[in-house]
Coordinates of all heavy atoms in Angstrom, one line a residue:
Y9 N 0.8 -1.2 0.0 CA 0.0 0.0 0.0 C 0.9 1.3 0.0 O 0.6 2.2 -0.7 CB -1.0 0.0 1.2 CG -1.8 1.3 1.3 CD1 -2.8 1.5 0.4 CD2 -1.4 2.2 2.2 CE1 -3.5 2.7 0.5 CE2 -2.2 3.4 2.3 CZ -3.2 3.6 1.4 OH -3.9 4.8 1.5
Q10 N 2.0 1.2 0.8 CA 2.8 2.4 0.8 C 3.4 2.7 -0.5 O 3.5 3.9 -0.9 CB 4.0 2.2 1.8 CG 3.6 2.4 3.3 CD 3.1 3.8 3.6 OE1 3.5 4.8 3.0 NE2 2.1 3.9 4.5
T11 N 3.7 1.7 -1.3 CA 4.3 1.9 -2.7 C 3.2 2.6 -3.5 O 3.5 3.6 -4.3 CB 4.7 0.6 -3.3 OG1 5.6 0.0 -2.4 CG2 5.3 0.8 -4.7
I12 N 2.0 2.2 -3.5 CA 0.9 2.8 -4.3 C 0.7 4.2 -3.8 O 0.6 5.1 -4.7 CB -0.4 2.0 -4.1 CG1 -0.2 0.6 -4.8 CG2 -1.6 2.7 -4.7 CD1 -1.3 -0.4 -4.6
K13 N 0.7 4.5 -2.5 CA 0.5 5.8 -2.0 C 1.6 6.7 -2.5 O 1.3 7.8 -3.0 CB 0.4 5.8 -0.5 CG 0.0 7.1 0.1 CD -0.1 7.0 1.6 CE -0.4 8.3 2.2 NZ -0.2 8.4 3.6
K14 N 2.8 6.3 -2.4 CA 4.0 7.1 -2.9 C 3.9 7.4 -4.4 O 4.2 8.5 -4.8 CB 5.3 6.4 -2.5 CG 6.5 7.3 -2.8 CD 7.8 6.6 -2.4 CE 8.9 7.6 -2.7 NZ 10.2 6.9 -2.8
A15 N 3.5 6.3 -5.1 CA 3.4 6.5 -6.6 C 2.4 7.6 -6.9 O 2.6 8.4 -7.8 CB 3.0 5.2 -7.2
R16 N 1.3 7.6 -6.2 CA 0.3 8.6 -6.4 C 0.8 10.0 -6.1 O 0.5 11.0 -6.7 CB -1.0 8.3 -5.7 CG -1.7 7.1 -6.3 CD -3.0 6.8 -5.5 NE -3.7 5.7 -6.1 CZ -4.6 4.9 -5.5 NH1 -4.8 5.2 -4.2 NH2 -5.1 4.0 -6.1
E17 N 1.5 10.1 -5.0 CA 2.0 11.4 -4.5 C 2.9 12.0 -5.5 O 2.9 13.2 -5.7 CB 2.8 11.2 -3.2 CG 1.8 10.9 -2.0 CD 2.6 10.6 -0.7 OE1 3.8 10.5 -0.7 OE2 1.9 10.4 0.3
V18 N 3.7 11.2 -6.2 CA 4.6 11.8 -7.2 C 4.0 11.9 -8.6 O 4.7 12.3 -9.6 CB 6.0 11.1 -7.2 CG1 6.7 11.2 -5.9 CG2 5.8 9.6 -7.6
G19 N 2.8 11.5 -8.8 CA 2.1 11.6 -10.0 C 2.2 10.5 -11.0 O 1.9 10.6 -12.2
Q20 N 2.7 9.3 -10.5 CA 2.8 8.2 -11.4 C 1.4 7.6 -11.7 O 0.6 7.5 -10.8 CB 3.6 7.1 -10.8 CG 5.1 7.5 -10.7 CD 5.9 6.4 -10.1 OE1 5.5 5.3 -9.8 NE2 7.2 6.7 -9.9
V21 N 1.1 7.2 -12.9 CA -0.2 6.6 -13.3 C -0.1 5.1 -13.0 O -1.2 4.5 -12.8 CB -0.6 6.8 -14.7 CG1 -0.8 8.3 -15.0 CG2 0.4 6.3 -15.7
N22 N 1.0 4.5 -13.0 CA 1.2 3.1 -12.7 C 1.6 2.9 -11.3 O 2.8 3.1 -10.9 CB 2.2 2.5 -13.7 CG 2.5 1.0 -13.4 OD1 1.8 0.4 -12.7 ND2 3.6 0.5 -14.0
P23 N 0.7 2.4 -10.4 CA 1.0 2.2 -9.0 C 1.7 0.9 -8.7 O 2.4 0.8 -7.7 CB -0.3 2.2 -8.3 CG -1.3 1.7 -9.3 CD -0.7 2.2 -10.7
S24 N 1.6 -0.2 -9.6 CA 2.1 -1.5 -9.2 C 2.5 -2.4 -10.3 O 3.0 -3.5 -10.0 CB 1.0 -2.1 -8.3 OG -0.2 -2.3 -9.0
I25 N 2.3 -2.1 -11.5 CA 2.5 -3.1 -12.6 C 4.0 -3.1 -13.0 O 4.5 -2.0 -13.5 CB 1.6 -2.9 -13.8 CG1 0.1 -3.1 -13.4 CG2 2.0 -3.8 -15.0 CD1 -0.9 -2.7 -14.4
R26 N 4.7 -4.2 -12.9 CA 6.1 -4.4 -13.3 C 7.0 -3.2 -12.9 O 7.7 -2.7 -13.8 CB 6.1 -4.7 -14.8 CG 5.3 -5.9 -15.2 CD 5.5 -6.1 -16.7 NE 4.4 -6.9 -17.2 CZ 3.9 -6.8 -18.5 NH1 4.4 -6.0 -19.3 NH2 2.9 -7.6 -18.8
K27 N 6.9 -2.8 -11.7 CA 7.7 -1.7 -11.3 C 9.2 -1.9 -11.3 O 10.0 -1.0 -11.1 CB 7.3 -1.2 -9.9 CG 5.8 -0.8 -9.8 CD 5.5 0.3 -10.8 CE 5.9 1.7 -10.2 NZ 5.5 2.8 -11.1
D28 N 9.6 -3.2 -11.5 CA 11.0 -3.5 -11.6 C 11.7 -3.2 -12.9 O 12.9 -3.5 -13.1 CB 11.2 -5.0 -11.2 CG 10.5 -5.9 -12.1 OD1 9.4 -5.6 -12.6 OD2 11.0 -7.0 -12.4
I29 N 10.9 -2.8 -13.9 CA 11.5 -2.5 -15.2 C 11.3 -1.0 -15.5 O 10.4 -0.3 -14.9 CB 10.9 -3.4 -16.3 CG1 9.4 -3.2 -16.4 CG2 11.3 -4.8 -16.1 CD1 8.8 -4.0 -17.6
N30 N 12.0 -0.5 -16.5 CA 12.0 1.0 -16.8 C 10.7 1.4 -17.6 O 10.3 2.5 -17.4 CB 13.2 1.4 -17.6 CG 14.5 1.4 -16.8 OD1 14.4 1.5 -15.6 ND2 15.6 1.2 -17.4
K31 N 10.2 0.5 -18.4 CA 9.1 0.9 -19.2 C 8.2 -0.4 -19.5 O 8.8 -1.4 -19.9 CB 9.6 1.5 -20.6 CG 8.4 1.9 -21.5 CD 8.9 2.7 -22.7 CE 10.2 2.5 -23.2 NZ 10.5 3.4 -24.4
V32 N 6.9 -0.3 -19.3 CA 6.0 -1.4 -19.5 C 5.5 -1.3 -21.0 O 4.8 -0.3 -21.3 CB 4.8 -1.4 -18.6 CG1 3.9 -2.5 -18.8 CG2 5.3 -1.4 -17.1
V33 N 5.9 -2.2 -21.8 CA 5.5 -2.3 -23.2 C 4.9 -3.7 -23.4 O 5.5 -4.7 -23.0 CB 6.6 -2.0 -24.1 CG1 6.2 -2.2 -25.6 CG2 7.3 -0.7 -23.9
D34 N 3.8 -3.8 -24.0 CA 3.2 -5.1 -24.3 C 2.8 -5.2 -25.8 O 2.4 -4.2 -26.4 CB 1.8 -5.2 -23.5 CG 2.1 -5.3 -22.1 OD1 2.6 -6.3 -21.6 OD2 1.8 -4.2 -21.4
F35 N 3.0 -6.4 -26.3 CA 2.7 -6.6 -27.7 C 1.6 -7.7 -27.7 O 1.7 -8.7 -27.0 CB 3.9 -7.2 -28.5 CG 5.0 -6.1 -28.7 CD1 6.0 -6.0 -27.8 CD2 4.9 -5.3 -29.8 CE1 7.0 -5.0 -27.9 CE2 5.9 -4.3 -30.0 CZ 6.9 -4.2 -29.0
I36 N 0.5 -7.4 -28.5 CA -0.5 -8.4 -28.7 C -0.7 -8.6 -30.2 O -0.9 -7.7 -30.9 CB -1.8 -7.9 -28.1 CG1 -1.7 -7.6 -26.6 CG2 -3.0 -8.8 -28.4 CD1 -2.8 -6.9 -25.9
D37 N -0.5 -9.8 -30.6 CA -0.7 -10.2 -32.0 C -2.2 -10.1 -32.4 O -3.0 -10.7 -31.8 CB -0.1 -11.5 -32.3 CG 1.4 -11.6 -32.2 OD1 2.0 -10.5 -32.4 OD2 1.9 -12.6 -31.8
I38 N -2.5 -9.3 -33.4 CA -3.9 -9.1 -33.8 C -4.5 -10.5 -34.2 O -5.7 -10.7 -34.0 CB -4.0 -8.1 -35.0 CG1 -5.4 -7.6 -35.1 CG2 -3.5 -8.7 -36.3 CD1 -5.8 -6.6 -34.1
E39 N -3.7 -11.4 -34.7 CA -4.2 -12.7 -35.0 C -4.7 -13.5 -33.8 O -5.6 -14.4 -33.9 CB -3.2 -13.6 -35.7 CG -2.7 -13.0 -37.1 CD -1.7 -11.9 -37.0 OE1 -1.3 -11.6 -35.9 OE2 -1.3 -11.4 -38.0
D40 N -4.2 -13.1 -32.6 CA -4.6 -13.8 -31.4 C -5.9 -13.3 -30.8 O -6.4 -13.9 -29.8 CB -3.5 -13.7 -30.4 CG -2.3 -14.5 -30.8 OD1 -2.4 -15.4 -31.6 OD2 -1.2 -14.2 -30.3
I41 N -6.4 -12.2 -31.3 CA -7.7 -11.6 -30.8 C -8.8 -12.3 -31.6 O -8.9 -12.1 -32.8 CB -7.7 -10.1 -31.0 CG1 -6.6 -9.4 -30.2 CG2 -9.1 -9.5 -30.6 CD1 -6.5 -7.9 -30.4
T42 N -9.6 -13.0 -30.9 CA -10.7 -13.8 -31.6 C -11.8 -12.9 -31.9 O -12.0 -12.6 -33.1 CB -11.2 -14.9 -30.7 OG1 -11.5 -14.4 -29.4 CG2 -10.1 -16.0 -30.6
E43 N -12.5 -12.4 -31.0 CA -13.6 -11.4 -31.2 C -13.3 -10.0 -30.9 O -13.4 -9.1 -31.7 CB -14.9 -11.9 -30.5 CG -16.1 -11.1 -30.7 CD -17.3 -11.5 -29.9 OE1 -17.3 -12.7 -29.5 OE2 -18.2 -10.7 -29.7
K44 N -12.8 -9.8 -29.6 CA -12.4 -8.5 -29.2 C -11.4 -8.7 -28.0 O -11.4 -9.7 -27.4 CB -13.6 -7.6 -28.8 CG -14.3 -8.2 -27.6 CD -15.5 -7.3 -27.3 CE -16.3 -7.8 -26.1 NZ -17.4 -7.0 -25.7
A45 N -10.7 -7.6 -27.7 CA -9.8 -7.6 -26.5 C -10.0 -6.2 -25.9 O -10.0 -5.2 -26.5 CB -8.4 -7.8 -26.9
S46 N -10.2 -6.2 -24.6 CA -10.4 -5.0 -23.8 C -9.1 -4.7 -23.1 O -8.6 -5.5 -22.2 CB -11.5 -5.1 -22.8 OG -12.7 -5.3 -23.4
L47 N -8.4 -3.6 -23.4 CA -7.1 -3.3 -22.9 C -7.2 -2.3 -21.8 O -7.8 -1.2 -22.0 CB -6.2 -2.9 -24.0 CG -6.1 -3.9 -25.2 CD1 -5.2 -3.3 -26.3 CD2 -5.5 -5.2 -24.7
C48 N -6.5 -2.5 -20.7 CA -6.6 -1.7 -19.5 C -5.9 -0.3 -19.7 O -4.8 -0.3 -20.3 CB -5.9 -2.4 -18.3 SG -5.9 -1.4 -16.8
R49 N -6.6 0.7 -19.3 CA -6.0 2.1 -19.3 C -5.9 2.7 -18.0 O -5.5 3.9 -17.8 CB -6.8 3.0 -20.3 CG -6.7 2.6 -21.7 CD -7.2 3.6 -22.7 NE -8.6 3.8 -22.5 CZ -9.3 4.6 -23.3 NH1 -8.7 5.3 -24.3 NH2 -10.6 4.7 -23.1
C50 N -6.4 2.0 -16.9 CA -6.3 2.6 -15.6 C -5.1 2.1 -14.8 O -4.9 2.6 -13.7 CB -7.6 2.2 -14.8 SG -7.7 0.5 -14.2
W51 N -4.4 1.1 -15.3 CA -3.2 0.6 -14.6 C -3.5 -0.1 -13.3 O -2.7 -0.2 -12.4 CB -2.1 1.7 -14.4 CG -1.5 2.1 -15.7 CD1 -2.1 3.1 -16.6 CD2 -0.4 1.6 -16.3 NE1 -1.2 3.2 -17.7 CE2 -0.2 2.3 -17.5 CE3 0.6 0.6 -16.0 CZ2 0.9 2.1 -18.4 CZ3 1.6 0.4 -16.8 CH2 1.8 1.1 -18.0
R52 N -4.8 -0.6 -13.1 CA -5.1 -1.3 -11.9 C -5.5 -2.7 -12.2 O -5.7 -3.5 -11.2 CB -6.3 -0.6 -11.2 CG -5.9 0.5 -10.2 CD -5.4 1.7 -10.9 NE -5.0 2.7 -10.0 CZ -4.3 3.8 -10.3 NH1 -4.0 4.0 -11.6 NH2 -4.0 4.7 -9.4
S53 N -5.5 -3.2 -13.4 CA -5.9 -4.5 -13.7 C -4.9 -5.6 -13.1 O -3.7 -5.4 -13.2 CB -6.0 -4.7 -15.2 OG -6.3 -6.1 -15.5
K54 N -5.4 -6.6 -12.6 CA -4.6 -7.7 -12.2 C -4.4 -8.7 -13.3 O -3.7 -9.7 -13.2 CB -5.2 -8.4 -11.0 CG -5.3 -7.5 -9.7 CD -5.2 -8.3 -8.5 CE -5.2 -7.5 -7.2 NZ -5.2 -6.0 -7.3
N55 N -4.9 -8.4 -14.5 CA -4.8 -9.3 -15.7 C -4.1 -8.4 -16.8 O -4.5 -8.6 -17.9 CB -6.1 -9.8 -16.1 CG -6.0 -10.9 -17.2 OD1 -5.0 -11.6 -17.3 ND2 -7.0 -10.9 -18.1
W56 N -3.2 -7.6 -16.4 CA -2.6 -6.7 -17.4 C -2.0 -7.5 -18.5 O -1.4 -8.5 -18.3 CB -1.4 -5.9 -16.6 CG -0.8 -4.9 -17.5 CD1 0.3 -5.1 -18.3 CD2 -1.2 -3.6 -17.7 NE1 0.6 -4.0 -19.0 CE2 -0.3 -3.0 -18.7 CE3 -2.3 -2.8 -17.3 CZ2 -0.5 -1.7 -19.1 CZ3 -2.4 -1.5 -17.7 CH2 -1.5 -1.0 -18.6
P57 N -2.1 -7.0 -19.8 CA -2.6 -5.7 -20.2 C -4.1 -5.6 -20.4 O -4.6 -4.6 -21.0 CB -1.8 -5.4 -21.5 CG -1.7 -6.8 -22.1 CD -1.5 -7.7 -20.9
Y58 N -4.8 -6.7 -20.0 CA -6.2 -6.7 -20.3 C -7.0 -6.1 -19.1 O -6.6 -6.2 -18.0 CB -6.7 -8.2 -20.6 CG -6.0 -8.8 -21.7 CD1 -4.9 -9.6 -21.6 CD2 -6.4 -8.5 -23.0 CE1 -4.3 -10.2 -22.7 CE2 -5.8 -9.0 -24.1 CZ -4.7 -9.9 -23.9 OH -4.0 -10.4 -25.0
C59 N -8.1 -5.5 -19.4 CA -9.0 -5.0 -18.4 C -9.7 -6.1 -17.7 O -10.1 -7.1 -18.2 CB -10.1 -4.1 -19.1 SG -11.5 -3.6 -18.1
D60 N -9.7 -6.0 -16.3 CA -10.4 -7.0 -15.5 C -11.6 -6.3 -14.7 O -12.1 -6.9 -13.8 CB -9.5 -7.7 -14.6 CG -8.9 -6.8 -13.5 OD1 -9.2 -5.6 -13.5 OD2 -8.3 -7.4 -12.6
G61 N -11.9 -5.1 -15.1 CA -13.0 -4.4 -14.4 C -12.5 -3.5 -13.2 O -13.4 -2.8 -12.6
A62 N -11.2 -3.6 -12.9 CA -10.7 -2.8 -11.7 C -10.9 -1.3 -11.9 O -10.9 -0.6 -10.9 CB -9.3 -3.1 -11.5
H63 N -11.1 -0.8 -13.1 CA -11.3 0.6 -13.3 C -12.6 1.1 -12.5 O -12.6 2.2 -12.2 CB -11.4 0.9 -14.8 CG -12.5 0.2 -15.5 ND1 -12.3 -1.0 -16.1 CD2 -13.8 0.5 -15.6 CE1 -13.5 -1.4 -16.6 NE2 -14.4 -0.5 -16.3
G64 N -13.5 0.2 -12.4 CA -14.8 0.6 -11.7 C -14.5 1.0 -10.2 O -15.0 2.1 -9.8
A65 N -13.7 0.2 -9.5 CA -13.4 0.6 -8.1 C -12.5 1.8 -8.1 O -12.6 2.7 -7.2 CB -12.6 -0.6 -7.4
H66 N -11.6 1.9 -9.0 CA -10.7 3.1 -9.1 C -11.5 4.4 -9.4 O -11.3 5.4 -8.7 CB -9.7 2.9 -10.2 CG -9.0 4.2 -10.6 ND1 -8.0 4.8 -9.9 CD2 -9.2 5.0 -11.7 CE1 -7.6 5.9 -10.5 NE2 -8.3 6.0 -11.6
N67 N -12.4 4.3 -10.3 CA -13.3 5.5 -10.6 C -14.1 5.9 -9.4 O -14.3 7.0 -9.1 CB -14.2 5.2 -11.8 CG -13.4 5.1 -13.1 OD1 -12.2 5.5 -13.2 ND2 -14.0 4.5 -14.2
K68 N -14.7 4.8 -8.7 CA -15.5 5.1 -7.6 C -14.8 5.8 -6.5 O -15.2 6.7 -5.8 CB -16.2 3.8 -7.1 CG -17.3 4.0 -6.1 CD -17.9 2.7 -5.7 CE -19.1 2.9 -4.7 NZ -19.7 1.7 -4.4
A69 N -13.5 5.3 -6.2 CA -12.7 5.8 -5.1 C -12.1 7.2 -5.4 O -11.9 8.0 -4.5 CB -11.6 4.9 -4.8
T70 N -11.9 7.5 -6.7 CA -11.2 8.8 -7.0 C -12.1 9.8 -7.8 O -11.6 10.9 -7.9 CB -10.0 8.4 -7.9 OG1 -10.4 7.9 -9.1 CG2 -9.0 7.5 -7.2
G71 N -13.2 9.4 -8.3 CA -14.0 10.3 -9.1 C -13.5 10.3 -10.5 O -13.9 11.2 -11.3
D72 N -12.5 9.4 -10.9 CA -12.0 9.4 -12.2 C -13.0 8.8 -13.2 O -14.1 8.3 -12.8 CB -10.7 8.6 -12.2 CG -9.7 9.0 -13.2 OD1 -10.1 9.7 -14.2 OD2 -8.5 8.6 -13.1
N73 N -12.7 8.7 -14.5 CA -13.6 8.2 -15.4 C -12.9 7.3 -16.4 O -13.3 7.3 -17.6 CB -14.4 9.3 -16.2 CG -13.4 10.2 -17.0 OD1 -12.2 10.1 -16.9 ND2 -14.0 11.0 -17.9
T74 N -11.9 6.5 -16.0 CA -11.2 5.7 -16.9 C -12.0 4.4 -17.3 O -12.9 4.0 -16.6 CB -9.8 5.2 -16.2 OG1 -10.2 4.4 -15.1 CG2 -9.0 6.4 -15.9
G75 N -11.5 3.9 -18.4 CA -12.1 2.6 -18.9 C -11.2 2.1 -20.0 O -10.2 2.7 -20.3
P76 N -11.5 0.9 -20.4 CA -10.6 0.2 -21.4 C -10.7 0.7 -22.8 O -11.6 1.4 -23.1 CB -11.1 -1.3 -21.3 CG -12.5 -1.1 -21.0 CD -12.7 0.1 -20.1
V77 N -9.7 0.4 -23.6 CA -9.8 0.5 -25.0 C -10.2 -0.9 -25.6 O -9.5 -1.9 -25.2 CB -8.6 1.1 -25.7 CG1 -7.3 0.2 -25.5 CG2 -8.8 1.3 -27.2
V78 N -11.2 -1.0 -26.3 CA -11.7 -2.3 -26.9 C -11.2 -2.4 -28.3 O -11.6 -1.5 -29.1 CB -13.2 -2.4 -26.7 CG1 -13.6 -3.8 -27.3 CG2 -13.6 -2.3 -25.3
V79 N -10.4 -3.4 -28.6 CA -10.0 -3.7 -30.0 C -10.9 -4.8 -30.5 O -11.0 -5.8 -29.8 CB -8.5 -4.1 -30.0 CG1 -8.1 -4.4 -31.4 CG2 -7.6 -3.0 -29.4
R80 N -11.5 -4.6 -31.6 CA -12.4 -5.6 -32.1 C -12.3 -5.7 -33.6 O -11.9 -4.8 -34.3 CB -13.8 -5.3 -31.7 CG -14.3 -4.0 -32.3 CD -15.7 -3.7 -31.8 NE -16.1 -2.4 -32.4 CZ -17.2 -1.7 -32.1 NH1 -18.0 -2.2 -31.2 NH2 -17.5 -0.6 -32.7
H81 N -12.8 -6.8 -34.1 CA -12.8 -7.0 -35.5 C -14.0 -6.2 -36.1 O -15.1 -6.2 -35.4 CB -13.0 -8.5 -35.9 CG -11.8 -9.3 -35.6 ND1 -10.8 -9.4 -36.6 CD2 -11.4 -10.0 -34.6 CE1 -9.8 -10.1 -36.1 NE2 -10.1 -10.5 -34.9
K82 N -13.8 -5.5 -37.1 CA -14.9 -4.7 -37.7 C -16.0 -5.7 -38.3 O -15.7 -6.6 -38.9 CB -14.4 -3.9 -38.9 CG -15.3 -2.8 -39.4 CD -14.6 -1.9 -40.4 CE -15.5 -0.8 -40.9 NZ -14.8 0.1 -41.8
E83 N -17.2 -5.3 -37.9 CA -18.3 -6.2 -38.4 C -18.6 -5.9 -39.9 O -18.6 -4.7 -40.3 CB -19.6 -5.9 -37.6 CG -19.4 -6.4 -36.1 CD -20.7 -6.3 -35.3 OE1 -21.8 -6.3 -36.0 OE2 -20.6 -6.2 -34.1
N84 N -18.8 -6.9 -40.6 CA -19.1 -6.7 -42.1 C -20.5 -6.4 -42.3 O -21.4 -6.7 -41.6 CB -18.7 -8.0 -42.8 CG -17.2 -8.2 -42.7 OD1 -16.4 -7.2 -42.8 ND2 -16.8 -9.4 -42.6
Ligands
FES15 FE1 -8.1 -0.9 -16.2 FE2 -10.5 -1.8 -16.9 S1 -9.2 -2.6 -15.4 S2 -9.4 -0.2 -17.7

């Protein structure tokens, strides 16, 4: 908890994901997305880089309005 609190104090958007590396970069092959993929933008997901709904608690606690980006196949 102290780490998350300190991260917020200095303005970091990422409180806990892979803090042992300099930059969090993820690659997702488009071929591996079957119907759609919801990608986290709140940095609170425990299933990073995918959204697990944690943005709801974050938004409620902070008054923020974050949500995922949904990548999907275009419907014909
Ligand atoms: Fe982060 Fe949904 S859990 S956007």
Side-chain angles (χ1 to χ4, degrees):
Y9 175 74
Q10 281 299 327
T11 302
I12 293 173
K13 187 177 176 194
K14 184 176 181 199
R16 287 183 180 155
E17 285 172 359
V18 297
Q20 294 181 3
V21 296
N22 175 13
S24 61
I25 296 171
R26 299 183 203 150
K27 298 303 277 188
D28 58 325
I29 59 176
N30 288 337
K31 180 168 32 179
V32 179
V33 178
D34 296 287
F35 293 89
I36 298 169
D37 292 330
I38 197 77
E39 293 84 359
D40 293 338
I41 298 175
T42 52
E43 184 182 334
K44 65 180 180 179
S46 298
L47 305 176
C48 178
R49 292 192 294 183
C50 76
W51 291 84
R52 270 71 182 173
S53 175
K54 294 207 175 1
N55 189 32
W56 184 268
Y58 299 99
C59 170
D60 70 353
H63 58 267
H66 165 74
N67 289 345
K68 189 173 182 182
T70 63
D72 210 342
N73 65 347
T74 63
V77 59
V78 180
V79 180
R80 63 184 179 188
H81 289 273
K82 191 173 184 178
E83 293 185 25
N84 295 321

